[in-house]
Coordinates of all heavy atoms in Angstrom, one line a residue:
M1 N 84.7 154.9 32.1 CA 84.3 155.8 31.1 C 84.7 157.2 31.4 O 84.7 157.7 32.6 CB 82.8 155.7 31.0 CG 82.2 156.4 29.8 SD 80.9 155.5 29.2 CE 81.3 155.5 27.5
D2 N 85.1 158.0 30.4 CA 85.6 159.4 30.6 C 84.4 160.3 30.9 O 83.2 159.9 30.7 CB 86.3 159.9 29.4 CG 87.6 159.2 29.1 OD1 88.6 159.6 29.8 OD2 87.6 158.3 28.3
S3 N 84.7 161.4 31.5 CA 83.6 162.4 31.7 C 83.2 163.1 30.5 O 82.3 163.9 30.5 CB 84.1 163.4 32.8 OG 85.2 164.1 32.3
E4 N 83.9 162.9 29.4 CA 83.5 163.5 28.1 C 82.3 162.9 27.6 O 82.1 161.7 27.7 CB 84.7 163.4 27.1 CG 85.9 164.1 27.5 CD 87.0 163.9 26.4 OE1 86.7 163.6 25.3 OE2 88.2 163.9 26.8
T5 N 81.4 163.7 27.0 CA 80.2 163.2 26.4 C 80.4 163.1 24.9 O 81.1 163.9 24.3 CB 79.0 164.1 26.7 OG1 79.3 165.5 26.3 CG2 78.7 164.2 28.2
T6 N 79.7 162.2 24.4 CA 79.8 162.0 22.9 C 78.8 162.9 22.3 O 77.7 163.1 22.8 CB 79.4 160.5 22.6 OG1 80.0 159.7 23.5 CG2 79.9 160.2 21.2
F7 N 79.2 163.6 21.2 CA 78.3 164.5 20.5 C 77.4 163.7 19.6 O 77.8 163.0 18.7 CB 79.1 165.5 19.7 CG 78.3 166.4 18.9 CD1 77.6 167.4 19.5 CD2 78.2 166.3 17.5 CE1 76.8 168.3 18.8 CE2 77.4 167.1 16.8 CZ 76.7 168.1 17.4
I8 N 76.1 163.8 19.8 CA 75.1 163.2 19.0 C 74.3 164.3 18.3 O 73.6 165.1 19.0 CB 74.2 162.3 19.8 CG1 75.0 161.2 20.5 CG2 73.1 161.7 18.9 CD1 74.2 160.4 21.5
P9 N 74.4 164.5 17.0 CA 73.7 165.6 16.4 C 72.2 165.4 16.5 O 71.7 164.3 16.3 CB 74.2 165.5 14.9 CG 74.7 164.1 14.7 CD 75.2 163.6 16.1
A10 N 71.5 166.5 16.7 CA 70.1 166.4 16.8 C 69.5 166.4 15.4 O 70.1 166.8 14.4 CB 69.6 167.6 17.5
A11 N 68.3 165.8 15.3 CA 67.6 165.7 14.0 C 67.1 167.1 13.6 O 66.8 167.9 14.4 CB 66.5 164.8 14.1
P12 N 67.2 167.4 12.3 CA 66.7 168.7 11.8 C 65.2 168.8 12.1 O 64.4 167.9 12.2 CB 66.9 168.7 10.3 CG 67.5 167.5 9.9 CD 67.7 166.6 11.2
A13 N 64.7 170.1 12.2 CA 63.3 170.3 12.5 C 62.4 169.8 11.4 O 62.8 169.8 10.2 CB 63.1 171.8 12.7
K14 N 61.3 169.3 11.8 CA 60.3 168.9 10.8 C 59.6 170.0 10.1 O 59.6 171.1 10.7 CB 59.2 168.0 11.5 CG 59.7 166.7 12.1 CD 58.7 165.9 12.8 CE 59.3 164.6 13.3 NZ 58.2 163.8 14.0
I15 N 59.2 169.8 8.9 CA 58.5 170.8 8.2 C 57.1 171.1 8.7 O 56.3 170.2 8.7 CB 58.4 170.4 6.7 CG1 59.8 170.1 6.1 CG2 57.7 171.5 5.9 CD1 60.7 171.3 6.0
T16 N 56.9 172.3 9.2 CA 55.6 172.7 9.8 C 55.3 174.0 9.1 O 56.1 174.7 8.4 CB 55.7 172.9 11.3 OG1 56.6 173.9 11.6 CG2 56.1 171.6 12.0
A17 N 54.0 174.5 9.3 CA 53.6 175.8 8.7 C 54.4 176.9 9.3 O 54.8 177.8 8.5 CB 52.1 176.0 9.0
D18 N 54.8 176.8 10.6 CA 55.6 177.9 11.2 C 57.0 177.9 10.5 O 57.5 179.0 10.2 CB 55.7 177.6 12.7 CG 56.6 178.7 13.4 OD1 56.3 179.9 13.1 OD2 57.5 178.3 14.1
L19 N 57.6 176.8 10.3 CA 58.9 176.7 9.7 C 58.8 177.2 8.2 O 59.7 178.0 7.8 CB 59.4 175.3 9.7 CG 60.8 175.0 9.0 CD1 61.8 175.7 9.9 CD2 61.0 173.6 8.9
V20 N 57.8 176.9 7.5 CA 57.7 177.4 6.1 C 57.5 178.9 6.1 O 58.2 179.6 5.3 CB 56.5 176.7 5.4 CG1 56.2 177.4 4.1 CG2 56.7 175.3 5.2
L21 N 56.8 179.5 7.1 CA 56.7 180.9 7.1 C 58.0 181.6 7.5 O 58.3 182.7 7.0 CB 55.6 181.3 8.1 CG 54.1 181.1 7.7 CD1 53.2 181.4 8.8 CD2 53.8 182.0 6.5
R22 N 58.7 181.0 8.4 CA 60.0 181.6 8.8 C 61.0 181.5 7.6 O 61.8 182.5 7.4 CB 60.6 180.8 10.0 CG 59.9 181.2 11.3 CD 60.6 180.6 12.4 NE 60.5 179.1 12.3 CZ 61.2 178.3 13.1 NH1 62.0 178.7 13.9 NH2 61.1 177.0 12.9
I23 N 61.0 180.4 6.9 CA 61.9 180.3 5.7 C 61.4 181.3 4.6 O 62.3 182.0 4.1 CB 61.8 178.9 5.1 CG1 62.5 177.9 6.0 CG2 62.4 178.8 3.7 CD1 62.3 176.4 5.7
F24 N 60.1 181.4 4.4 CA 59.7 182.4 3.4 C 60.0 183.8 3.8 O 60.5 184.6 3.0 CB 58.1 182.3 3.3 CG 57.5 183.3 2.3 CD1 57.7 183.2 1.0 CD2 56.8 184.4 2.9 CE1 57.1 184.1 0.1 CE2 56.3 185.3 2.0 CZ 56.4 185.2 0.6
G25 N 59.9 184.2 5.1 CA 60.2 185.5 5.5 C 61.7 185.8 5.4 O 62.0 186.9 5.0
G26 N 62.5 184.9 5.9 CA 63.9 185.1 5.8 C 64.4 185.2 4.4 O 65.2 186.1 4.0
F27 N 63.9 184.3 3.5 CA 64.4 184.4 2.1 C 63.9 185.6 1.4 O 64.6 186.3 0.7 CB 63.9 183.2 1.4 CG 64.1 183.2 -0.1 CD1 65.4 183.1 -0.6 CD2 63.1 183.5 -1.0 CE1 65.7 183.2 -2.0 CE2 63.3 183.6 -2.3 CZ 64.6 183.4 -2.8
T28 N 62.6 186.0 1.7 CA 62.1 187.2 1.0 C 62.8 188.5 1.4 O 63.1 189.3 0.6 CB 60.6 187.4 1.4 OG1 59.9 186.2 1.0 CG2 60.0 188.5 0.7
F29 N 63.2 188.6 2.7 CA 63.9 189.7 3.2 C 65.3 189.8 2.5 O 65.6 190.9 2.0 CB 64.1 189.7 4.7 CG 64.9 190.8 5.2 CD1 64.5 192.1 5.2 CD2 66.2 190.5 5.7 CE1 65.3 193.1 5.7 CE2 67.0 191.5 6.2 CZ 66.5 192.8 6.2
I30 N 66.0 188.8 2.5 CA 67.4 188.8 1.9 C 67.3 188.9 0.4 O 68.1 189.7 -0.2 CB 68.2 187.6 2.4 CG1 68.3 187.6 3.9 CG2 69.6 187.6 1.7 CD1 68.9 186.4 4.5
A31 N 66.4 188.2 -0.3 CA 66.3 188.2 -1.7 C 65.9 189.6 -2.2 O 66.3 190.1 -3.3 CB 65.4 187.2 -2.2
S32 N 65.0 190.3 -1.5 CA 64.6 191.6 -1.9 C 65.8 192.6 -1.9 O 65.9 193.5 -2.7 CB 63.4 192.1 -1.0 OG 63.9 192.3 0.3
Q33 N 66.6 192.4 -0.9 CA 67.8 193.3 -0.8 C 68.7 193.0 -2.0 O 69.3 193.9 -2.6 CB 68.6 193.1 0.5 CG 67.8 193.3 1.7 CD 67.3 194.7 1.8 OE1 68.1 195.6 1.7 NE2 66.0 194.9 2.1
I34 N 68.9 191.7 -2.4 CA 69.7 191.4 -3.5 C 69.2 191.9 -4.8 O 69.9 192.5 -5.6 CB 69.9 189.8 -3.6 CG1 70.7 189.3 -2.4 CG2 70.6 189.4 -4.9 CD1 70.7 187.8 -2.2
F35 N 67.8 191.8 -5.0 CA 67.2 192.3 -6.2 C 67.3 193.8 -6.3 O 67.5 194.4 -7.4 CB 65.8 191.8 -6.3 CG 65.7 190.4 -6.8 CD1 65.0 189.5 -6.0 CD2 66.2 190.0 -8.0 CE1 64.9 188.2 -6.4 CE2 66.1 188.7 -8.4 CZ 65.4 187.8 -7.6
C36 N 67.2 194.5 -5.2 CA 67.3 196.0 -5.2 C 68.7 196.4 -5.6 O 68.9 197.4 -6.3 CB 67.0 196.5 -3.8 SG 65.2 196.5 -3.4
V37 N 69.7 195.7 -5.1 CA 71.1 196.0 -5.5 C 71.3 195.8 -7.0 O 71.9 196.6 -7.7 CB 72.1 195.2 -4.6 CG1 73.5 195.3 -5.2 CG2 72.1 195.7 -3.2
A38 N 70.8 194.6 -7.5 CA 70.9 194.3 -8.9 C 70.2 195.4 -9.8 O 70.8 195.8 -10.8 CB 70.3 193.0 -9.2
A39 N 69.0 195.8 -9.4 CA 68.3 196.9 -10.1 C 69.1 198.2 -10.1 O 69.1 198.9 -11.0 CB 66.9 197.0 -9.5
A40 N 69.7 198.5 -8.9 CA 70.4 199.8 -8.8 C 71.7 199.7 -9.7 O 72.0 200.7 -10.3 CB 70.8 200.0 -7.3
I41 N 72.3 198.6 -9.8 CA 73.5 198.4 -10.6 C 73.1 198.7 -12.1 O 73.7 199.4 -12.8 CB 74.1 197.0 -10.5 CG1 74.8 197.0 -9.1 CG2 75.1 196.8 -11.6 CD1 75.3 195.6 -8.8
V42 N 72.0 198.1 -12.5 CA 71.5 198.2 -13.9 C 71.1 199.7 -14.1 O 71.5 200.3 -15.2 CB 70.4 197.3 -14.2 CG1 69.7 197.6 -15.6 CG2 70.8 195.8 -14.2
F43 N 70.4 200.3 -13.2 CA 69.9 201.7 -13.4 C 71.1 202.6 -13.5 O 71.1 203.5 -14.3 CB 69.0 202.0 -12.2 CG 68.5 203.4 -12.3 CD1 67.5 203.8 -13.2 CD2 69.0 204.4 -11.4 CE1 67.0 205.1 -13.2 CE2 68.5 205.7 -11.4 CZ 67.5 206.0 -12.3
C44 N 72.0 202.5 -12.5 CA 73.2 203.4 -12.5 C 74.1 203.3 -13.7 O 74.5 204.3 -14.3 CB 73.9 203.2 -11.2 SG 73.1 203.7 -9.7
T45 N 74.4 202.1 -14.1 CA 75.3 201.9 -15.2 C 74.7 202.3 -16.5 O 75.3 202.9 -17.4 CB 75.9 200.5 -15.3 OG1 74.8 199.6 -15.4 CG2 76.8 200.1 -14.2
A46 N 73.4 202.1 -16.7 CA 72.7 202.5 -17.9 C 72.6 204.0 -18.0 O 72.8 204.6 -19.0 CB 71.3 201.9 -17.9
G47 N 72.4 204.7 -16.8 CA 72.4 206.1 -16.8 C 73.8 206.7 -17.0 O 73.9 207.7 -17.7
L48 N 74.8 206.1 -16.4 CA 76.1 206.6 -16.5 C 76.6 206.5 -17.9 O 77.3 207.5 -18.4 CB 77.0 205.8 -15.5 CG 78.5 206.2 -15.5 CD1 78.6 207.7 -14.9 CD2 79.3 205.3 -14.7
F49 N 76.4 205.4 -18.6 CA 76.9 205.2 -20.0 C 75.9 205.6 -21.0 O 76.1 205.4 -22.2 CB 77.3 203.8 -20.1 CG 78.5 203.4 -19.3 CD1 78.4 202.4 -18.3 CD2 79.7 204.1 -19.3 CE1 79.4 202.0 -17.5 CE2 80.8 203.7 -18.5 CZ 80.6 202.7 -17.6
H50 N 74.7 206.1 -20.7 CA 73.7 206.6 -21.6 C 73.3 205.4 -22.6 O 73.3 205.6 -23.8 CB 74.1 207.8 -22.4 CG 74.5 209.0 -21.5 ND1 73.6 209.7 -20.8 CD2 75.7 209.5 -21.2 CE1 74.2 210.6 -20.1 NE2 75.5 210.5 -20.3
L51 N 73.0 204.3 -22.0 CA 72.7 203.1 -22.8 C 71.3 203.2 -23.4 O 70.4 203.7 -22.7 CB 72.8 201.8 -21.9 CG 74.2 201.5 -21.3 CD1 74.1 200.2 -20.5 CD2 75.2 201.4 -22.4
S52 N 71.1 202.6 -24.5 CA 69.8 202.5 -25.1 C 69.0 201.5 -24.4 O 69.5 200.8 -23.5 CB 70.0 202.1 -26.6 OG 70.4 200.8 -26.7
R53 N 67.7 201.4 -24.8 CA 66.8 200.5 -24.1 C 67.3 199.0 -24.4 O 67.3 198.2 -23.5 CB 65.4 200.6 -24.7 CG 64.4 199.7 -24.0 CD 63.0 199.9 -24.5 NE 62.6 201.2 -24.1 CZ 61.5 201.7 -24.4 NH1 60.6 201.1 -25.1 NH2 61.1 202.9 -23.9
T54 N 67.7 198.7 -25.6 CA 68.2 197.4 -25.9 C 69.4 197.0 -25.1 O 69.5 195.9 -24.5 CB 68.5 197.2 -27.4 OG1 67.3 197.6 -28.1 CG2 68.9 195.8 -27.8
A55 N 70.4 197.9 -25.0 CA 71.6 197.7 -24.3 C 71.3 197.5 -22.8 O 71.9 196.7 -22.1 CB 72.6 198.8 -24.5
T56 N 70.3 198.3 -22.3 CA 69.9 198.1 -20.9 C 69.3 196.8 -20.6 O 69.6 196.2 -19.6 CB 69.0 199.3 -20.5 OG1 69.6 200.5 -20.7 CG2 68.6 199.2 -19.0
L57 N 68.5 196.3 -21.5 CA 67.9 195.0 -21.4 C 68.9 193.9 -21.4 O 68.8 192.9 -20.7 CB 66.8 194.8 -22.4 CG 65.5 195.6 -22.3 CD1 64.6 195.4 -23.4 CD2 64.8 195.3 -21.0
I58 N 69.9 194.1 -22.3 CA 71.0 193.0 -22.4 C 71.8 193.1 -21.1 O 72.1 192.0 -20.5 CB 71.9 193.3 -23.6 CG1 71.1 193.0 -24.9 CG2 73.2 192.5 -23.5 CD1 71.8 193.5 -26.1
E59 N 72.1 194.2 -20.6 CA 72.8 194.3 -19.3 C 72.0 193.7 -18.1 O 72.5 193.0 -17.3 CB 73.1 195.8 -19.0 CG 73.8 196.0 -17.6 CD 73.8 197.4 -17.2 OE1 73.2 198.3 -17.7 OE2 74.5 197.6 -16.2
A60 N 70.7 194.0 -18.1 CA 69.8 193.4 -17.1 C 69.8 191.9 -17.2 O 69.8 191.2 -16.2 CB 68.4 194.0 -17.2
A61 N 69.8 191.3 -18.4 CA 69.8 189.9 -18.6 C 71.1 189.3 -18.1 O 71.1 188.2 -17.4 CB 69.6 189.5 -20.0
I62 N 72.2 190.0 -18.3 CA 73.5 189.5 -17.8 C 73.6 189.6 -16.3 O 74.1 188.7 -15.7 CB 74.6 190.4 -18.5 CG1 74.7 190.1 -20.0 CG2 76.0 190.1 -17.8 CD1 75.6 191.0 -20.7
I63 N 73.1 190.7 -15.7 CA 73.1 190.8 -14.3 C 72.1 189.8 -13.6 O 72.3 189.3 -12.5 CB 72.7 192.2 -13.9 CG1 73.7 193.2 -14.3 CG2 72.5 192.4 -12.4 CD1 75.0 193.2 -13.6
A64 N 71.1 189.4 -14.3 CA 70.0 188.5 -13.7 C 70.6 187.1 -13.5 O 70.2 186.5 -12.5 CB 68.8 188.4 -14.7
V65 N 71.5 186.7 -14.3 CA 72.1 185.3 -14.1 C 72.7 185.1 -12.7 O 72.3 184.3 -11.9 CB 73.0 184.9 -15.2 CG1 73.7 183.6 -15.0 CG2 72.2 184.9 -16.5
P66 N 73.7 185.9 -12.4 CA 74.3 185.8 -11.0 C 73.4 186.1 -9.9 O 73.5 185.5 -8.8 CB 75.5 186.7 -11.0 CG 75.4 187.6 -12.2 CD 74.5 186.9 -13.1
T67 N 72.4 187.0 -10.2 CA 71.5 187.4 -9.1 C 70.6 186.2 -8.8 O 70.4 185.9 -7.6 CB 70.6 188.6 -9.6 OG1 71.4 189.7 -9.9 CG2 69.6 189.0 -8.6
V68 N 70.1 185.5 -9.8 CA 69.3 184.3 -9.5 C 70.1 183.2 -8.8 O 69.6 182.5 -7.9 CB 68.6 183.8 -10.8 CG1 68.0 182.4 -10.6 CG2 67.6 184.8 -11.3
L69 N 71.4 183.0 -9.2 CA 72.2 182.0 -8.6 C 72.5 182.3 -7.1 O 72.5 181.5 -6.3 CB 73.5 181.9 -9.4 CG 73.4 181.3 -10.8 CD1 74.8 181.3 -11.5 CD2 72.9 179.9 -10.7
I70 N 72.7 183.6 -6.8 CA 72.9 184.0 -5.4 C 71.6 183.8 -4.6 O 71.7 183.3 -3.5 CB 73.3 185.5 -5.4 CG1 74.7 185.6 -5.9 CG2 73.3 186.0 -4.0 CD1 75.2 187.1 -6.1
C71 N 70.5 184.1 -5.2 CA 69.2 183.9 -4.5 C 68.9 182.4 -4.2 O 68.4 182.0 -3.2 CB 68.0 184.5 -5.3 SG 68.0 186.3 -5.2
V72 N 69.3 181.5 -5.1 CA 69.2 180.1 -4.9 C 70.1 179.7 -3.7 O 69.6 178.9 -2.9 CB 69.5 179.3 -6.2 CG1 69.7 177.8 -5.9 CG2 68.5 179.5 -7.3
Q73 N 71.3 180.1 -3.7 CA 72.2 179.8 -2.6 C 71.7 180.4 -1.3 O 71.7 179.7 -0.3 CB 73.6 180.4 -2.9 CG 74.3 179.6 -3.9 CD 74.6 178.2 -3.6 OE1 75.0 177.9 -2.4 NE2 74.4 177.3 -4.5
V74 N 71.1 181.6 -1.3 CA 70.5 182.1 -0.1 C 69.4 181.3 0.4 O 69.2 181.1 1.6 CB 70.1 183.6 -0.3 CG1 69.2 184.1 0.7 CG2 71.3 184.5 -0.4
F75 N 68.5 180.8 -0.5 CA 67.4 180.0 -0.2 C 67.9 178.7 0.6 O 67.3 178.4 1.6 CB 66.6 179.6 -1.4 CG 65.4 178.7 -1.1 CD1 64.3 179.2 -0.4 CD2 65.5 177.3 -1.4 CE1 63.3 178.3 -0.1 CE2 64.5 176.5 -1.1 CZ 63.3 177.0 -0.4
F76 N 68.9 178.1 0.0 CA 69.4 176.9 0.7 C 70.0 177.2 2.0 O 69.8 176.4 3.0 CB 70.4 176.1 -0.2 CG 69.7 175.5 -1.4 CD1 70.2 175.7 -2.7 CD2 68.6 174.6 -1.2 CE1 69.6 175.1 -3.8 CE2 68.0 174.0 -2.3 CZ 68.5 174.2 -3.6
M77 N 70.7 178.3 2.2 CA 71.2 178.7 3.5 C 70.2 179.0 4.5 O 70.3 178.6 5.6 CB 72.2 179.9 3.3 CG 73.5 179.5 2.6 SD 74.8 180.7 2.6 CE 73.9 182.2 2.1
V78 N 69.1 179.6 4.0 CA 68.0 180.0 5.0 C 67.3 178.7 5.4 O 67.0 178.5 6.6 CB 67.0 180.9 4.3 CG1 65.7 181.0 5.1 CG2 67.6 182.3 4.1
V79 N 67.1 177.7 4.5 CA 66.5 176.5 4.9 C 67.3 175.7 5.9 O 66.8 175.2 6.9 CB 66.2 175.6 3.6 CG1 65.8 174.2 4.0 CG2 65.1 176.2 2.8
R80 N 68.6 175.7 5.6 CA 69.5 175.0 6.6 C 69.5 175.7 7.9 O 69.5 175.0 9.0 CB 70.9 174.9 6.0 CG 71.2 173.7 5.2 CD 72.6 173.6 4.8 NE 72.6 174.6 3.6 CZ 73.7 175.0 3.0 NH1 74.8 174.7 3.4 NH2 73.6 175.9 2.0
A81 N 69.5 177.0 7.9 CA 69.6 177.8 9.2 C 68.3 177.6 10.0 O 68.3 177.4 11.2 CB 69.8 179.2 8.9
E82 N 67.2 177.6 9.3 CA 65.9 177.5 10.0 C 65.6 176.0 10.5 O 64.9 175.8 11.5 CB 64.7 177.9 9.1 CG 64.7 179.4 8.9 CD 64.5 180.2 10.1 OE1 63.9 179.7 11.1 OE2 65.0 181.4 10.1
R83 N 66.2 175.1 9.8 CA 65.9 173.7 10.2 C 67.0 173.2 11.3 O 66.8 172.1 11.9 CB 66.0 172.7 9.0 CG 64.8 172.9 8.1 CD 64.7 171.9 7.1 NE 64.2 170.6 7.8 CZ 64.4 169.4 7.3 NH1 65.0 169.3 6.1 NH2 64.0 168.4 7.9
D84 N 68.0 174.0 11.5 CA 69.0 173.7 12.5 C 68.4 173.7 13.9 O 67.9 174.6 14.3 CB 70.2 174.7 12.4 CG 71.3 174.3 13.3 OD1 71.4 173.1 13.7 OD2 72.2 175.1 13.4
P85 N 68.6 172.6 14.6 CA 68.0 172.5 15.9 C 68.7 173.5 16.9 O 68.0 173.9 17.9 CB 68.2 171.1 16.4 CG 69.0 170.4 15.4 CD 69.1 171.3 14.2
D86 N 69.9 173.9 16.7 CA 70.5 174.8 17.6 C 70.0 176.2 17.4 O 70.2 177.1 18.2 CB 72.1 174.8 17.3 CG 72.7 173.5 17.8 OD1 72.1 172.8 18.6 OD2 73.8 173.2 17.2
N87 N 69.3 176.5 16.3 CA 68.8 177.8 16.0 C 67.5 178.0 16.7 O 67.1 179.2 16.8 CB 68.7 178.0 14.5 CG 68.3 179.4 14.0 OD1 68.6 180.3 14.7 ND2 67.6 179.5 12.9
N88 N 66.8 177.0 17.0 CA 65.4 177.1 17.6 C 65.5 177.3 19.1 O 66.0 176.7 19.8 CB 64.6 176.0 17.1 CG 64.4 176.0 15.6 OD1 64.3 177.1 15.1 ND2 64.3 174.9 15.0

């Protein structure tokens, strides 16, 4: 037998209260930054172009779609990172 060892992946961490709190904290931190950037984009472009309230709401709705999609991806990445046995 060779001296090389076979790589056996470890099982992901079980769902515990500590794991849920770490996922919540990591997601909340990153998602709040994403929402702040989205709000700044809406605020700055509405002010720059002197948009009406209706136009600003339409712009916010358009910006909200990719923002939510990014937050969903971030949530899944945080869950994968926190459940990874090499991370603990």
Side-chain angles (χ1 to χ4, degrees):
M1 191 144 224
D2 292 280
S3 63
E4 295 179 26
T5 57
T6 318
F7 177 71
I8 300 172
K14 293 182 180 179
I15 303 294
T16 61
D18 180 51
L19 180 67
V20 171
L21 285 175
R22 286 186 297 167
I23 289 171
F24 177 75
F27 172 72
T28 304
F29 175 70
I30 297 170
S32 67
Q33 302 298 311
I34 294 168
F35 283 123
C36 285
V37 168
I41 289 170
V42 171
F43 178 75
C44 290
T45 55
L48 180 67
F49 296 120
H50 304 289
L51 297 179
S52 66
R53 181 178 295 178
T54 305
T56 303
L57 290 175
I58 291 170
E59 178 192 9
I62 291 170
I63 295 287
V65 174
T67 301
V68 169
L69 293 175
I70 290 170
C71 285
V72 168
Q73 288 296 316
V74 165
F75 176 75
F76 288 126
M77 289 191 309
V78 168
V79 170
R80 269 182 283 168
E82 290 297 334
R83 291 193 71 202
D84 185 13
D86 293 336
N87 189 27
N88 296 325

